[in-house]
Amino acid sequence: MKKRLLLLIALLFLGSELTFAQKKTITGTVTDATTKETLIGVSVYIKGSKQGTSTNSGGQFSIEATPTDQLIFSYTGYKPVTQLVGANASFQISLESNTAQLDEVVLIGTRSAGRVKLETAVPVDIVNVSKTAATTGRLELTDILNYAAPSFNYNKQSGSDGADHVELGTLRGLGPDQTLVLVNGKRRHSTAFVSVFGTRGRGNSGVDLSTIPTAAIERVEILRDGASAQYGSDAIAGVINLVLKKSVDEFTANAGYSGYYDPAFNSKKSVAAAQYPHGGTIDGNAFTFDANYGLKIGKTGFLNLTADYSKNGKTYRQTKDTATANPKALPLNTPRRANGDGSSEGGTIFFNSEIPVSTKTTFYSFGGYSYKGSDAYAFTRNFSSRPERFPTNGANIIPVDGIIIKTPDGESYYNPLIETKIKDLGFAAGIKGSFGEAWNWDLSNNTGNNDFHFYGKKTFNASLGADKTSFDDGGSEFLQNTTNLNFSKRFDKVLSGFNLGFGAEYRYERYKISAGEEASYKNYDPAGIKAAGSQGFPGFQPGDATNSNRSVFGGFVDFELDATDKWLINFANRLEHYSDFGYNFSTKFATRYKIADNFNIRGSVGTGFRAPSLQQINYSSTFTNVQGSIISEVKIAPNTSSITKAAGIPNLKQETSKNAGLGFTFKPVPEFSITVDGYIINVKDRVVLSGQFSAEDATLDPSFTDALKALRVGTAQFFANAVNTTNRGLDVVLDYNKTIGDNRYRILFTGNFQSMDIDKVNYPTILGKTEALKETFLSSREKKFILASAPKVKFSLNPEYGHQDLTVGLRFTYFGKVDIYGYGDGTGTSPVVPKDDGSGSVADLYNYSGKLVSDVYLSYKLNKYARISLGADNVFNVHPDLGYIPGAKGWAYNNEPAGPFDAVQMGGNGRRIFARIGFNF
């Protein structure tokens, strides 16, 4: 009996053990320990096994495991958690952020859950905008990035028919429209403005980053690699992703002041100050205020709100002396007496929101509205040189107080003002979630509209008289609506992990030009002697008006494979169809191999494209030119016009590119990281704006000149796929961070070394028959501007020390040599100017030597709620070399609107002092 009882007990015990060892379904949710937000894409796997899964869009997971198994929860930027299954069937897991690592996680360039930036297959920079903005007086996001990212470049334009009022940055020496801008991973619409006169990036549009408040941005991710196969058009040079803030229950506000103290070139300091308008000893005074607050919605939802306001004053720059004997002097600047940056005033409101609507579905939305009113001086109108531009009564000027100014030497002049009103609206909304076996989906719609309107102030239509001094010059508008549907899934059992992404996109774009009021462009003088249209910026004419649109459909597939724990492979393909020019296919392959835990090599090859913008295809502008009694038009002809067809210029097509990159990341110690990445980018059929062709040029084909004359067009210029270029470069980033007790040390070095070659100019047959016509189509000067989009060398060294509540730092930024041509005297195909002594001519080539700019800043935490920052940018008041030819000073102003103060390197405004106070509650 006892034996039977013992046998029964043994069988019961064994059965319970077998039952206990059986697998069961374990479910649960993973959240952020601080914010309580659910985390998507958390890896959940059984220790010692390849069996695993990941959390869905609701942060939920399901996995088969035995009670003796240990589950490991791992997510980039968070500390891993290990949990014994035991008798539990469900878990609520909270992960604590690893702050140092979380700051390095990037979402751009991958459709998986994100990777630490040193482990990506392509180079990505991360810029903490709030921290960076607190250490500088530079207000614009583009200006901040110019000193924070190695291959990002930005030059503030001055007096350039609207270019003063937008912020268009560039990557790796390419054009501003060859970099794609995303907000929260969604395509941002571009500005309606087209850079035409006196600018870098001539003939380009791009995204105006000033329409998004810096206070709304958590960080900026800059992908320095061609990514058209992943994101579509414009990503030839790379991608900039603005990640908006998600913080809740926290109020931050910042107020700041900055101004330029430039005793070297402030117009007030000139011996000829009476000849120039000027401000105070400190000019360009700027005041800013911003505020940000986040609200919780339910348990895990949020609504983050931002508002900002800024007001910027004008700057005035001239040489101190006009004496010929002084080697540092230049002649009186009569072409542009008011030389400097324009003024502006504007504000922005922005929001970012996510609201879970079920355990597997989340609604999200973001966007905002911005307004900016700006004005800048145009070229000066001097009565002695161009009396037809003045309102007169017979031979006498009609005086107008506050506009026409008389100088001590008897000259009369006025400075027209070009005013702009820019309204920008963007709104995105979407739903994301999961279904089935951890498939993730995301459906979104993103609408953006930019309205760019011109006005003329304190100016005249001389053919109309002196009574009207302000004009509505018309403007342009660009609308973009993008709808995306994306799917992705991670397969943990495929090798060491495989992420599949695919989706489709539909985009609608519309571009409009509206004519100005009649008085802004019409000639009311029956004799044709007086100049027509508002001086400074003549209005768009009814013949320029357009309302054009197109649609784009695209599809992509994206693979990301962890072939082993050390080897990562990315592969993407994208096919798009544009209703106005057809299909384009792009592909990309990238890989990263972990040679050691602290050393990775990475590389990529791919193709890319940029569709010609609707602005480039349809831009039209007409200026009336009077020579003697002959009235003719100067026309920038749209690609669809009969004039363009007569010139033999085909329909604009996409720019195409091939790119390759190779580099490594190395972290010899936890506090120090090194990244080095080389690249080569070949671009074919870049769209540029040609020079002006005259109807009186006998060397041109008669069929073309006859077409011009029939339409009373005196000269015409065009957009064309004209240039093939190759960029080669090297990006280097060295970053050291160390904390010892209450002391913090950081040294950051960023560098870009690059060069560009123009491989070929694609001359149309009619416009390229002779060397002179080729020079007109794309001059030596325009080629120099393309090549000078970035200096050959730019690097920055930023040492910083902190002790408890005090932080002090220096920033040294070196801008390498740049050279550009002036216009020359027009006597030949090469730009040359005569020497002052009459001994001959010299090349009109301006050499800007390399310059080092030094910034200094101090930040102190007053208490747990407030912090103050003080400092000076360009503390030693360094300027670019003046753009003129020694020995030919008489031609010093034969250049862009800024003349010798052209916007190269660090710009011409000099030292900037600043103070900021920030609050956090």
Side-chain angles (χ1 to χ4, degrees):
M1 183 67 182
K2 288 183 179 180
K3 289 182 179 180
R4 291 179 179 177
L5 182 60
L6 289 173
L7 179 60
L8 178 62
I9 292 173
L11 289 172
L12 289 173
F13 180 77
L14 180 60
S16 66
E17 284 293 297
L18 290 170
T19 301
F20 192 66
Q22 288 179 349
K23 287 187 176 182
K24 58 183 179 179
T25 301
I26 308 298
T27 61
T29 303
V30 184
T31 60
D32 183 296
T34 302
T35 67
K36 308 305 179 185
E37 291 183 23
T38 56
L39 297 177
I40 304 169
V42 176
S43 294
V44 185
Y45 59 93
I46 298 172
K47 186 175 182 179
S49 166
K50 288 191 175 182
Q51 182 183 352
T53 185
S54 58
T55 57
N56 61 21
S57 62
Q60 300 167 324
F61 70 92
S62 176
I63 191 172
E64 298 291 322
T66 68
T68 57
D69 286 334
Q70 294 185 62
L71 298 181
I72 297 178
F73 300 84
S74 175
Y75 192 52
T76 303
Y78 289 80
K79 298 175 182 177
V81 168
T82 301
Q83 185 76 47
L84 177 67
V85 172
N88 299 301
S90 180
F91 288 95
Q92 298 295 320
I93 303 296
S94 296
L95 298 184
E96 295 183 4
S97 64
N98 182 342
T99 305
Q101 189 187 52
L102 189 60
D103 288 342
E104 300 295 298
V105 175
V106 296
L107 303 176
I108 196 171
T110 176
R111 298 189 186 274
S112 62
R115 294 182 183 272
V116 176
K117 73 173 186 178
L118 293 182
E119 297 186 358
T120 58
V122 292
V124 179
D125 297 316
I126 299 176
V127 179
N128 185 313
V129 175
S130 297
K131 290 181 180 179
T132 306
T135 65
T136 177
R138 301 177 180 100
L139 306 178
E140 298 89 356
L141 178 59
T142 42
D143 210 5
I144 292 170
L145 295 178
N146 193 28
Y147 288 81
S151 60
F152 186 91
N153 286 278
Y154 165 67
N155 292 109
K156 176 71 173 177
Q157 303 295 321
S158 179
S160 301
D161 288 355
D164 314 60
H165 313 306
V166 297
E167 298 173 23
L168 305 178
T170 68
L171 277 179
R172 291 185 161 179
L174 292 175
D177 56 3
Q178 291 169 322
T179 296
L180 176 64
V181 176
L182 309 174
V183 178
N184 281 353
K186 307 298 181 181
R187 177 182 287 267
R188 179 71 175 178
H189 61 279
S190 68
T191 174
F193 172 74
V194 180
S195 299
V196 176
F197 299 109
T199 60
R200 301 298 187 276
R202 202 185 314 270
N204 294 173
S205 288
V207 174
D208 182 4
L209 294 178
S210 69
T211 59
I212 304 170
T214 57
I217 302 171
E218 176 186 302
R219 68 183 186 274
V220 177
E221 301 174 341
I222 302 177
L223 170 63
R224 293 182 272 116
D225 194 63
S228 294
Q230 295 166 293
Y231 297 104
S233 178
D234 307 346
I236 287 177
V239 182
I240 297 174
N241 185 33
L242 310 180
V243 181
L244 302 179
K245 289 180 178 177
K246 296 183 177 181
S247 58
V248 296
D249 295 335
E250 181 182 28
F251 175 78
T252 61
N254 298 277
Y257 161 80
S258 67
Y260 291 102
Y261 175 57
D262 179 14
F265 292 109
N266 189 318
S267 301
K268 184 179 180 180
K269 303 292 184 180
S270 173
V271 296
Q275 296 277 355
Y276 305 132
H278 58 77
T281 301
I282 297 177
D283 62 7
N285 295 286
F287 302 89
T288 63
F289 177 79
D290 63 64
N292 175 270
Y293 183 68
L295 301 165
K296 278 187 178 179
I297 299 178
K299 292 183 178 180
T300 59
F302 68 88
L303 172 63
N304 188 276
L305 301 167
T306 305
D308 77 351
Y309 168 81
S310 64
K311 185 174 184 178
N312 302 274
K314 289 183 174 64
T315 63
Y316 303 85
R317 296 293 176 268
Q318 302 287 356
T319 56
K320 272 189 175 183
D321 201 351
T322 59
T324 306
N326 184 346
K328 295 183 179 180
L330 288 176
L332 189 67
N333 188 358
T334 56
R336 192 166 184 216
R337 296 174 185 267
N339 174 57
D341 287 354
S343 59
S344 66
E345 183 175 11
T348 308
I349 54 174
F350 230 77
F351 78 97
N352 185 32
S353 177
E354 288 189 12
I355 304 172
V357 294
S358 71
T359 56
K360 291 189 175 183
T361 308
T362 299
F363 170 80
Y364 64 88
S365 183
F366 57 88
Y369 173 81
S370 75
Y371 169 82
K372 180 163 65 174
S374 309
D375 68 56
Y377 286 112
F379 278 101
T380 300
R381 271 57 177 172
N382 296 285
F383 186 73
S384 62
S385 62
R386 299 298 296 269
E388 73 276 7
R389 298 183 176 188
F390 283 70
T392 57
N393 183 4
N396 299 316
I397 297 176
I398 300 174
V400 181
D401 290 341
I403 300 179
I404 298 179
I405 301 169
K406 197 160 188 175
T407 65
D409 59 3
E411 176 69 278
S412 293
Y413 75 88
Y414 66 96
N415 294 310
L417 284 170
I418 301 173
E419 292 196 351
T420 62
K421 292 183 179 179
I422 307 168
K423 301 173 184 177
D424 193 277
L425 177 66
F427 178 77
I431 303 175
K432 60 185 178 181
S434 64
F435 66 91
E437 295 295 324
W439 278 96
N440 299 309
W441 59 273
D442 185 338
L443 174 65
S444 66
N445 191 79
N446 183 12
T447 300
N449 190 80
N450 182 268
D451 187 324
F452 199 105
H453 207 92
F454 286 96
Y455 298 87
K457 301 293 183 182
K458 293 189 175 182
T459 187
F460 308 100
N461 179 337
S463 70
L464 187 61
D467 294 334
K468 187 172 179 59
T469 60
S470 62
F471 302 86
D472 181 341
D473 295 329
S476 54
E477 185 179 350
F478 180 71
L479 169 73
Q480 177 180 283
N481 187 84
T482 307
T483 303
N484 288 97
L485 177 60
N486 299 332
F487 298 91
S488 67
K489 176 177 171 58
R490 181 169 178 83
F491 300 87
D492 294 294
K493 295 181 181 180
V494 177
L495 299 179
S496 293
F498 172 69
N499 194 85
L500 169 65
F502 60 91
E505 175 178 291
Y506 174 77
R507 189 164 74 251
Y508 171 82
E509 297 176 340
R510 186 190 68 200
Y511 175 64
K512 297 170 65 176
I513 294 178
S514 57
E517 62 176 302
E518 182 183 89
S520 71
Y521 59 82
K522 188 174 180 179
N523 193 325
Y524 294 94
D525 181 11
I529 297 173
K530 287 293 186 180
S534 60
Q535 293 296 304
F537 188 92
F540 291 104
Q541 300 189 13
D544 298 320
T546 186
N547 188 346
S548 54
N549 63 77
R550 72 178 174 198
S551 57
V552 186
F553 180 80
F556 74 90
V557 61
D558 187 307
F559 304 99
E560 185 170 302
L561 174 67
D562 286 290
T564 69
D565 292 338
K566 296 182 177 182
W567 188 17
L568 169 67
I569 298 172
N570 294 147
F571 183 63
N573 288 304
R574 190 180 191 96
L575 178 67
E576 295 204 359
H577 179 265
Y578 284 72
S579 61
D580 51 356
F581 71 80
Y583 287 93
N584 186 87
F585 178 78
S586 297
T587 187
K588 179 176 180 178
F589 173 82
T591 186
R592 181 226 69 210
Y593 189 79
K594 189 181 290 291
I595 293 178
D597 288 340
N598 62 349
F599 187 84
N600 302 306
I601 58 172
R602 59 191 180 189
S604 66
V605 292
T607 62
F609 80 105
R610 189 193 72 83
S613 67
L614 277 181
Q615 294 91 315
Q616 290 172 324
I617 296 172
N618 298 283
Y619 183 82
S620 177
S621 180
T622 310
F623 299 88
T624 302
N625 187 38
V626 180
Q627 292 183 336
S629 60
I630 300 174
I631 303 173
S632 63
E633 308 290 348
V634 178
K635 181 80 171 178
I636 299 178
N639 195 234
T640 54
S641 78
S642 59
I643 298 174
T644 307
K645 303 305 179 187
I649 295 177
N651 293 338
L652 291 181
K653 61 183 180 180
Q654 71 269 38
E655 302 172 350
T656 59
S657 68
K658 296 178 182 178
N659 64 276
L662 182 65
F664 70 86
T665 70
F666 181 40
K667 202 164 188 176
V669 293
E671 301 85 5
F672 182 44
S673 65
I674 303 169
T675 69
V676 178
D677 294 278
Y679 60 89
I680 181 170
I681 309 169
N682 174 260
V683 186
K684 291 185 177 181
D685 300 318
R686 290 181 64 168
V687 178
V688 300
L689 182 62
S690 77
Q692 296 182 357
F693 291 89
S694 171
E696 303 303 321
D697 189 341
T699 65
L700 283 167
D701 190 302
S703 63
F704 173 51
T705 55
D706 289 347
L708 294 177
K709 292 173 182 177
L711 295 170
R712 298 178 64 85
V713 173
T715 59
Q717 58 188 135
F718 317 93
F719 288 93
N721 292 103
V723 181
N724 299 352
T725 61
T726 299
N727 291 56
R728 298 173 179 85
L730 184 73
D731 293 327
V732 179
V733 180
L734 311 177
D735 193 358
Y736 176 81
N737 286 274
K738 181 72 173 179
T739 300
I740 303 175
D742 290 334
N743 300 299
R744 304 178 301 277
Y745 305 90
R746 187 187 189 194
I747 300 177
L748 175 65
F749 172 88
T750 63
N752 174 247
F753 308 86
Q754 68 92 32
S755 65
M756 183 194 298
D757 296 315
I758 294 179
D759 304 320
K760 182 183 178 183
V761 178
N762 308 311
Y763 299 104
T765 303
I766 292 176
L767 304 182
K769 288 183 176 180
T770 68
E771 289 303 315
L773 289 176
K774 289 180 178 179
E775 182 67 13
T776 301
F777 182 74
L778 191 70
S779 67
S780 300
R781 183 173 187 277
E782 293 302 321
K783 293 176 185 176
K784 280 286 188 182
F785 267 103
I786 294 172
L787 298 175
S789 58
K792 292 184 182 297
V793 177
K794 191 183 89 172
F795 62 78
S796 177
L797 179 65
N798 182 196
E800 186 177 273
Y801 168 74
H803 177 75
Q804 295 182 349
D805 296 330
L806 175 69
T807 300
V808 294
L810 300 169
R811 185 185 300 107
F812 304 101
T813 306
Y814 177 79
F815 296 87
K817 178 183 176 181
V818 175
D819 56 34
I820 61 173
Y821 278 119
Y823 284 107
D825 61 4
T827 58
T829 57
S830 298
V832 297
V833 290
K835 293 183 179 180
D836 295 329
D837 60 10
S839 62
S841 296
V842 63
D844 198 15
L845 179 64
Y846 311 134
N847 292 298
Y848 301 92
S849 61
K851 295 294 178 76
L852 182 68
V853 174
S854 304
D855 305 339
V856 59
Y857 56 89
L858 176 150
S859 176
Y860 185 73
K861 189 174 181 180
L862 301 173
N863 52 48
K864 65 179 182 178
Y865 302 115
R867 176 181 293 274
I868 189 170
S869 300
L870 304 168
D873 299 329
N874 195 359
V875 66
F876 297 115
N877 202 36
V878 176
H879 293 77
D881 295 331
L882 291 176
Y884 74 98
I885 307 303
K889 290 184 177 181
W891 290 80
Y893 304 109
N894 187 42
N895 196 5
E896 293 303 307
F901 295 89
D902 194 19
V904 297
Q905 298 169 323
M906 77 294 297
N909 283 315
R911 179 190 300 115
R912 190 177 208 175
I913 56 176
F914 70 90
R916 295 177 184 271
I917 185 166
F919 301 93
N920 189 315
F921 299 97

